[in-house]
Amino acid sequence: MASGITPTLALRSAKGVEVWKPEQQQQQLTFIPEPGFTPDQSKSCRAIVYSPNGRFLAWANGTTVQLCRVSERWTVIASLPRPKACYLQFSPRSTYLMTWEVYTENPKETPKEKPNLFIYRAETGEEVFSIIQKRHQEWQMHWSSDESVAALLVGGEVLFFDHSPTGPGLKQVVKRFGGLRNGGVSVAPGPSPPHIGVYIPGTKGAPSMCRLFKYPNLEMNQPVASKSFFQADKVDMMWNRKGNGLILMTSTDVDASGVSYYGKQALHYMTPKGDSCGIQLNADGPIHDVAWSPKSTEFCIVYGFMPARASLFNLKCDIVYDFEPGNRNSIYFNEFGNLIVFGGFGNLPGYIEIWDLVRRKKLTNYQAPDTTLLEWSPAGDKFLTATTAPRLRMANGFKVWHYSGALLGEYSWAGELLEVLWQKYEAGTFAEVTISDKKVTGIVSATPVASKQKYVPPGARNSIVITGSGQKIDMRPPIPGLPPGYRSSTQIKNSKQKNKKNKTAGGADGSQDATAGQAKDASEPKAQAPKKKPPKGAVKKESADGDVANGNGNKTNPTSSTANNNDQEEVESTTVVQPKKVSITGDPEKDKKIRAINKKLKDIKLLKEKHERGETLVPTQVTKMNSEQQLMKELSALKVAA
């Protein structure tokens, strides 16, 4: 961190606007009110913003727009008469402040249409420009990095202003670009003259188009690059800091394939050199977030169904690194592009992953529940997470984390906290942070952690006590008005059923014991009793079933044999006569063929029944069913030959 520079925090809440200054006390980062700033006690503050160089702070308090110079005294430069202002933004070099309020018409006033977009000079608070701007999105003026060119999309036309030292400034429109109803415009950062990105929506089945022009050559036949695409109701244009790469994120409100409820998205890439291509992703699913690295040499995309994938791309749209899948939906680069935070917020429980992009190494991961806002410090070594309204109106507050995962400080807000901002600084104010694996000692969060114990109803708490012998004793007090030990009819009935089940189980156990006893007795040796002779005239029967000769299932008469062994003391064994196959033709080979044909005819009969019931038959079954006549002929020939 630069010597003697401590970024401040601006807070907007239901109580008003405050500025806090962090102080390091041992392991904890504490926050104290900035002594030179007078808090604004207004309860209807709608917006707050720091200028890009950190020299100005502006906020809308519902009565005026306060423009303040950041210094030891925090001097208020001007109170701008904009009570309805809800959006504020500074120009890139902090020269101008833009305010926007919802457009309204009053027929009783003259004129009934009044400007709602105003531009003021930041140093003095002087109004330099005003216009009617009905657009809610992209309401602001688009500036080049040196503020020499400004573009404003009004209706379906882009107005260009020459703000160079020799130009007329905001007093005169120098160029116009029409045909952009429901379209968009974006001015590239970087050196002047800048490149202008224009989104032209498709009409009557024609594709949508994005074109790049080199200012001031804005004729339709003078683009330096062009990209056309279908299925685009909206296009977001994202330039890198150097202005040599543009990502187009197209989206539709409805996904015709029905895969996503939130519509369909696609990514395209363009360069001022004339190159353009589609960005190919390795997984299907929604595109959660896209972000350029501050180094302007790579960009990151989080995409796919959960657990989502994250990939790092170079300027050729090739994947240079695939992060491990995780529950994430947002991307945050630090000021120097050597650290990246993946966040899982919104419908995810606040997952945070911190990666070292130089070594492609995960430093830590943890949870910051109920996070609705995350912003890196301009020093690049810490960031804050906050729980803000109106997303969440309970347990509002913010925490400051070190990139190693240590919690440096936290503050719980009494009431609704709406916004928290770090003070900004010009590029080069802070030296690039050196990433270390050394763990920084932090504090323990005072935020209560949700209990993981199973919920027990109050009536069941401390009701059952288990003694040392394992006996369960019901300690619940008796029902008021009833004697101790009283049991309802339902309880008595349940008790009887339980006892009955126990008796049944006990009887089963007793029978098992008896069986075991009998087996034990049988295994013990006993005195041999004299053998008895079998009764005279005992008969042993032997039977045999005849084979089915013609497949009709006719049975032959069983044969029997009798043996009287009166002189023998015991019967050793019984002989069983195996059934004999009845010959049909006298030739074993012909008999075998006849049996096979009969089996096939039986199968064909079953197939015919299936066909009559309307069941679908496969081609092999149909072929088999059609061979019935041939089989009948073969069967007749075999019988005649016999």
Side-chain angles (χ1 to χ4, degrees), residues 182-261:
N182 299 324
V185 65
S186 179
V187 179
S192 291
H195 288 88
I196 310 296
V198 177
Y199 163 55
I200 306 172
T203 56
K204 297 181 180 180
S208 301
M209 187 176 300
C210 185
R211 291 186 171 183
L212 298 184
F213 298 90
K214 181 75 170 180
Y215 187 85
N217 302 320
L218 302 178
E219 299 297 329
M220 290 298 292
N221 59 352
Q222 295 178 320
V224 297
S226 181
K227 178 68 176 177
S228 60
F229 38 80
F230 288 94
Q231 298 181 347
D233 297 330
K234 179 184 176 183
V235 174
D236 294 327
M237 293 180 278
M238 295 168 279
W239 290 95
N240 60 9
R241 288 190 177 183
K242 294 182 179 180
N244 58 1
L246 174 64
I247 296 176
L248 306 175
M249 183 173 177
T250 65
S251 58
T252 59
D253 297 332
V254 178
D255 185 3
S257 62
V259 175
S260 175
Y261 174 80

Side-chain angles (χ1 to χ4, degrees), residues 523-593:
S523 63
E524 294 179 355
K526 294 183 179 180
Q528 294 184 356
K531 297 181 180 180
K532 296 182 179 180
K533 295 182 179 181
K536 191 174 183 178
V539 179
K540 293 188 294 180
K541 296 183 179 180
E542 297 177 354
S543 62
D545 295 335
D547 287 340
V548 179
N550 53 4
N552 295 328
N554 296 329
K555 296 183 179 179
T556 60
N557 294 328
T559 61
S560 61
S561 62
T562 305
N564 297 328
N565 299 323
N566 297 330
D567 297 335
Q568 296 181 358
E569 294 183 355
E570 60 181 354
V571 179
E572 296 181 356
S573 62
T574 302
T575 304
V576 178
V577 179
Q578 297 294 334
K580 296 182 180 180
K581 294 182 179 180
V582 179
S583 177
I584 301 174
T585 62
D587 187 351
E589 291 296 327
K590 290 184 179 181
D591 292 343
K592 186 176 180 181
K593 291 181 180 180

